[in-house]
Amino acid sequence: MDRILVVEDEEKISRVIRAYLEKEGFAVEEASDGLQALELVSDFNFSLIILDLMLPHMSGEDVCKQLRRQGNNIPIIMLTAKGAEEERIRGLGLGADDYIVKPFSPGELVARVHAVLRRYRSNNGVLAEVMEFADGDLVIDTLRRQATLRGELVDLTATEFKLLAAMAKSPGRVFTRGELLEIAQGALPTGFDRTIDSHIKNLRQKLEPKPDEPQLIRTVYGVGYKFTGD
């Protein structure tokens, strides 16, 4: 059974969403703020998150950003009262998979849940995401947690794969060393740490034709790194 997390601080709306989802056979957990949502994500395996943008304590935007920084690719549908086009674009840019504006039809929301799950579901019913770069030379498969370069499997450590997958999902975005350390460790960094530089160096050795002249993972001096694959 698919488990859905509904993150909504308006109890009446949350109750309606839950009723419609349960009628469709989904198991549902509810959170009324962003911090509670992150706690539930650490405790349960969710197939999808319905995430309100305006939440107490921690906004939906920040919840989405933190999940994506950690390499978590749970599909997210953003739910908000903001209907401007730039807000929708911004929500999708943060890593959301779909966006629905209040007031909405619960039936439409359920239809979008099914549509998003279909997009992310592999043949055996497991959430999957495959990213291809450089005309298919580099393939990153988050289901199998592996990367291939020109058809050859790349020998990556678990940490190296986490960093590569997280950066590849947002090409061109600059990640600070602190953000990458959070992705690598699964927790907020406790201080300045240069171990990320070592992981990036290893990734370049394994992926770049000329590691001293990197084209895929570029240094942004004084800030961190960005993935520039097309």
Side-chain angles (χ1 to χ4, degrees):
M1 180 183 292
D2 287 307
R3 188 185 300 272
I4 309 291
L5 175 60
V6 178
V7 190
E8 168 61 66
D9 63 326
E10 294 187 44
E11 185 178 350
K12 184 181 294 186
I13 294 176
S14 183
R15 191 164 58 242
V16 170
I17 294 173
R18 181 180 193 126
Y20 271 78
L21 289 173
E22 288 181 339
K23 186 179 178 181
E24 289 289 308
F26 293 107
V28 179
E29 298 290 336
E30 295 175 82
S32 57
D33 63 66
L35 294 176
Q36 184 185 9
L38 292 176
E39 290 176 1
L40 286 170
V41 169
S42 68
D43 292 337
F44 296 94
N45 290 320
F46 291 105
S47 300
L48 183 140
I49 299 173
I50 297 172
L51 180 63
D52 189 21
L53 195 63
M54 304 297 292
L55 294 168
H57 308 307
M58 185 179 193
S59 72
E61 291 181 1
D62 288 338
V63 172
C64 186
K65 285 191 286 188
Q66 182 155 327
L67 289 173
R68 295 311 188 226
R69 281 202 305 266
Q70 293 172 348
N72 193 320
N73 67 332
I74 300 174
I76 295 173
I77 297 177
M78 275 196 170
L79 188 64
T80 180
K82 297 180 179 179
E85 182 181 7
E86 59 269 20
E87 291 292 341
R88 295 198 297 274
I89 293 171
R90 184 160 177 248
L92 296 172
L94 290 170
D97 299 274
D98 202 352
Y99 195 106
I100 190 166
V101 179
K102 298 177 183 177
F104 59 89
S105 159
E108 180 187 356
L109 177 59
V110 170
R112 292 193 183 214
V113 167
H114 284 298
V116 170
L117 287 176
R118 280 197 301 270
R119 289 206 306 266
Y120 277 80
R121 214 174 276 288
S122 67
N123 291 334
N124 61 356
V126 181
L127 293 179
E129 183 173 43
V130 177
M131 297 173 282
E132 295 187 6
F133 299 92
D135 294 324
D137 279 358
L138 175 62
V139 179
I140 302 168
D141 186 331
T142 62
L143 174 61
R144 295 177 177 84
R145 299 186 67 80
Q146 66 183 30
T148 55
L149 185 63
R150 291 182 287 280
E152 297 291 327
L153 190 64
V154 183
D155 184 18
L156 299 176
T157 67
T159 297
E160 289 165 1
F161 183 83
K162 280 183 185 180
L163 295 172
L164 176 63
M167 289 191 292
K169 289 176 184 177
S170 301
R173 177 191 161 186
V174 179
F175 288 81
T176 66
R177 286 183 175 83
E179 288 173 329
L180 293 174
L181 193 59
E182 183 181 348
I183 291 167
Q185 297 180 348
L188 291 172
T190 56
F192 187 73
D193 195 321
R194 282 285 184 177
T195 58
I196 288 301
D197 295 343
S198 297
H199 292 308
I200 296 297
K201 181 179 179 181
N202 291 339
L203 278 171
R204 286 171 169 167
Q205 292 288 342
K206 296 174 181 181
L207 298 175
E208 303 274 8
K210 296 180 180 180
D212 293 334
E213 301 175 14
Q215 299 301 310
L216 279 176
I217 304 174
R218 303 282 186 90
T219 300
V220 180
Y221 292 99
V223 184
Y225 300 95
K226 66 179 179 179
F227 184 86
T228 56
D230 181 18

